[in-house]
Amino acid sequence: MAPSSRLHITLNKSPDKTIQTHTYNHRVDLVLPTDLYTLISAGLGPALAQPLRCWRFRAPLSALLETGFLNKYIKSGDVIMLSQGRVDADNIYTLTSGILRLSLRHETYETAGLVGKPARFGNTAGSKRPRRYLVEHNLRDPSMSPGKKNFDRLVWSFANVLKDPVTWLFCDLNQAKMPETVSCPVLSALSALPRDMQMPVVVATTDVLVPGLVAPEGSRIAGGGKSEKAEFHREMWREWALGVYEWLAMVQLGATGAADRVRVRDTVDPLLSTYEVEDGVAGSVMRLTWRGMVPATWIGRLWRAVNASMDGKDGWAAITVHGFENSPISWGANAHGSLNGGENGYTILRLPREGAAGEKSGRCIIYEVLGSQDEYS
Amino acid sequence: MEEPSVTPPKTQKAEPPVQITIKNPEWGYARLKMIYDPPYTAESPSYPPDILTWRATLTMCLTQFFGLMGSAIHIDILYLENDEAWLRLPKNDTTMFAAAVSGYVGIIEGKNVGFKTLGMGDFLMGVLGKGEEDALWA
């Protein structure tokens, strides 16, 4: 049987690691009740006002080793880059924290003249002839400069073997420190196209059924022993948590608003759909969507701003982040493949207060979804 | 670069972190596109296909491949947008379903009709992220 995808559900843990180590993100959705959004939107202003830009350009790998680019963006700067292609079929290149990762087909690897190791995914277990290889080089290493052996080997390989131009997405993590009026000569030389990302697409849906966001009475995520009753309570919690996760996706489906099945007035025949919002109560939700190569630090700042402005107020909010399907890494340096679906993303749901005194405010559930090929655990 | 903590300091006693992993959920999800040959013009009243057309075409497709067993597969139509549909079905039936929709060619109003699978997965949120990134590269 084919390996299947996994969903991690975590309680009582800070989402910092989930957010900060997930490098390549292409879509961010923030979902929250409309009245809460009205209260906190002013507080979010400063976090959203700052320009955020990513770039797209076509260039061969050798462009990264040009002195101008290397010094500005790799040695002294901090950028993330990802090349276009399919991680199970093409050569894919990534750059993060100065580390260049080349995920190569074996035909390419054998001629590239670089030293790597068999890739974690895309290879048959136990086979002596790997189909994919991973080559890693830290371009910030002092030995990575013109005239040094390692460097010149890369230059040779990029000039003679890996010489085809590819499409890159590029995001400068230090861009907030640069004045936005100054255009970068290095990027203009590559005819890079900018994409402004800081303005979200805001969609309000005023007639949504919102499920109960407090776990059912008596249910619990884990523990409680081996009795049938405890098993029932755990099952109840899982069903609730999965129902909420499915509902959040339903809210994010439609281009112009939440999917019809979660609308108050939906009267679809049970032959066509039996989907139901558990304990649904009519409400109004806002959805803010950002698209582009969104840096993890920016997402962390956004989520912190949301949390800070919610302090002392009741309500809930959820942020969902989708990773690039064809990135060879997901969280940190964990390898990622796309066989049977390369989903890698997470949702963080800040739960409403529990109990009269609100003694449990600020708790969140972290959902992390991973395709069948992902080392992250 | 270390970022300060997202979680506000807790006043109550902190509970230990708990993690569970879901591997075999009850449902699977699919995002399909209905394809016509020759294609409909955008003005045609039969375009985009409505929910009954989707249900009828899926039933025909599953019956053609798996007979009565196919027609009995439970499908929830979650959302339609243009010529695409988001579906939910029991996880155990997803393999059969995938085989049937990928091989199907039927006829509607004299046109050949088939499906293109844009995404399938165990979690709706996972399927949602797929294909979304294409616009960034073009």
Side-chain angles (χ1 to χ4, degrees):
Chain A
M1 206 186 112
S4 58
S5 8
R6 284 168 291 155
L7 176 73
H8 294 313
I9 308 182
T10 315
L11 255 189
N12 307 329
K13 197 175 145 225
S14 154
D16 292 348
K17 184 171 165 255
T18 301
I19 299 176
Q20 302 296 349
T21 61
H22 197 266
T23 313
Y24 295 105
N25 311 297
H26 69 80
R27 173 173 168 175
V28 179
D29 289 272
L30 183 65
V31 174
L32 69 179
T34 304
D35 36 6
L36 178 69
Y37 175 73
T38 322
L39 281 176
I40 71 169
S41 57
L44 293 182
L48 301 181
Q50 216 166 50
L52 180 70
R53 190 172 271 188
C54 69
W55 301 79
R56 190 183 82 229
F57 55 82
R58 236 182 123 65
L61 271 167
S62 56
L64 275 63
L65 302 184
E66 301 284 341
T67 317
F69 194 97
L70 186 69
N71 288 339
K72 177 166 182 185
Y73 289 119
I74 300 176
K75 295 282 193 197
S76 59
D78 197 5
V79 300
I80 51 172
M81 294 176 70
L82 175 67
S83 76
Q84 186 180 21
R86 290 184 41 198
V87 71
D88 49 358
D90 305 323
N91 296 326
I92 303 277
Y93 319 128
T94 65
L95 180 75
T96 157
S97 307
I99 295 170
L100 180 67
R101 287 189 177 83
L102 313 173
S103 173
L104 304 175
R105 296 147 54 86
H106 77 97
E107 297 92 336
T108 316
Y109 177 76
E110 280 159 13
T111 53
L114 300 170
V115 181
K117 56 179 189 197
R120 172 73 176 76
F121 295 115
N123 291 321
T124 319
S127 161
K128 292 223 164 61
R129 293 208 48 199
R131 286 179 48 241
R132 292 195 73 85
Y133 285 86
L134 178 70
V135 176
E136 269 186 36
H137 282 285
N138 186 351
L139 300 181
R140 285 190 193 148
D141 197 273
S143 73
M144 276 293 166
S145 54
K148 297 273 173 58
K149 202 173 140 200
N150 276 346
F151 189 83
D152 289 345
R153 184 172 278 267
L154 279 183
V155 171
W156 177 87
S157 180
F158 295 172
N160 296 288
V161 186
L162 302 167
K163 58 186 175 188
D164 293 334
V166 289
T167 303
W168 294 92
L169 286 180
F170 167 102
C171 184
D172 184 353
L173 303 183
N174 292 335
Q175 58 181 291
K177 295 173 196 153
M178 321 272 178
E180 54 166 320
T181 44
V182 180
S183 64
C184 168
V186 180
L187 289 178
S188 350
L190 293 165
S191 5
L193 292 167
R195 180 191 177 94
D196 286 314
M197 302 184 286
Q198 77 275 15
M199 284 303 291
V201 175
V202 182
V203 175
T205 314
T206 51
D207 55 346
V208 180
L209 285 172
V210 182
L213 293 174
V214 174
E217 190 82 42
S219 72
R220 54 193 296 172
I221 180 169
K226 285 180 179 161
S227 67
E228 236 171 72
K229 200 172 160 198
E231 180 54 44
F232 172 74
H233 285 154
R234 288 194 292 268
E235 196 49 48
M236 199 153 83
W237 196 94
R238 270 161 221 220
E239 264 184 30
W240 167 79
L242 280 175
V244 170
Y245 188 54
E246 185 186 46
W247 177 82
L248 281 168
M250 291 290 279
V251 171
Q252 291 169 30
L253 268 191
T256 52
D260 309 327
R261 295 295 94 77
V262 294
R263 301 295 183 96
V264 174
R265 272 179 290 281
D266 185 55
T267 50
V268 76
D269 191 283
L271 278 174
L272 300 171
S273 170
T274 55
Y275 176 85
E276 260 183 45
V277 180
E278 205 68 36
D279 299 325
V281 175
S284 170
V285 298
M286 298 293 281
R287 181 182 85 201
L288 291 80
T289 307
W290 291 266
R291 284 189 172 86
M293 190 187 240
V294 189
T297 43
W298 185 88
I299 299 169
R301 250 195 321 272
L302 171 70
W303 186 239
R304 258 193 319 280
V306 169
N307 276 277
S309 52
M310 277 176 75
D311 273 346
K313 300 181 186 68
D314 196 15
W316 55 271
I319 192 168
T320 300
V321 177
H322 294 287
F324 280 91
E325 188 179 341
N326 285 300
S327 160
I329 52 173
S330 58
W331 277 271
N334 284 296
H336 171 77
S338 75
L339 181 78
N340 294 325
E343 58 259 55
N344 64 108
Y346 58 90
T347 297
I348 302 163
L349 168 65
R350 180 178 155 132
L351 298 166
R353 281 181 200 172
E354 284 171 51
E359 72 270 23
K360 282 184 175 175
S361 76
R363 290 180 93 196
C364 55
I365 300 190
I366 306 172
Y367 297 90
E368 293 163 324
V369 64
L370 309 121
S372 53
Q373 293 185 326
D374 207 305
E375 282 183 331
Y376 181 75
S377 63
Chain B
M1 190 166 50
E2 273 303 303
E3 289 282 331
S5 168
V6 168
T7 322
K10 293 192 184 84
T11 43
Q12 72 270 20
K13 207 172 86 189
E15 291 173 53
V18 202
Q19 184 178 77
I20 55 171
T21 302
I22 312 269
K23 275 185 184 157
N24 276 307
E26 183 186 358
W27 301 106
Y29 301 85
R31 179 186 180 186
L32 299 187
K33 187 185 177 76
M34 211 185 273
I35 300 171
Y36 299 94
D37 183 41
Y40 276 112
T41 54
E43 299 86 53
S44 163
S46 307
Y47 181 91
D50 62 9
I51 193 164
L52 292 172
T53 309
W54 270 101
R55 181 65 251 191
T57 317
L58 286 168
T59 305
M60 273 194 291
C61 158
L62 293 166
T63 313
Q64 181 179 323
F65 276 80
F66 300 109
L68 264 182
M69 221 168 100
S71 67
I73 292 182
H74 174 101
I75 297 177
D76 292 320
I77 303 178
L78 298 179
Y79 180 63
L80 299 179
E81 189 165 282
N82 299 325
D83 51 1
E84 292 175 23
W86 296 78
L87 311 171
R88 179 175 80 168
L89 58 155
K91 157 104 166 138
N92 293 339
D93 294 332
T94 47
T95 315
M96 257 169 90
F97 176 86
V101 294
S102 65
Y104 179 71
V105 181
I107 291 179
I108 293 184
E109 295 182 356
K111 292 169 185 291
N112 286 328
V113 62
F115 301 105
K116 183 179 178 194
T117 308
L118 299 176
M120 268 189 96
D122 295 349
F123 305 99
L124 184 59
M125 198 67 94
V127 181
L128 179 63
K130 284 183 206 178
E132 278 277 318
E133 60 178 87
D134 292 352
L136 297 180
W137 297 102

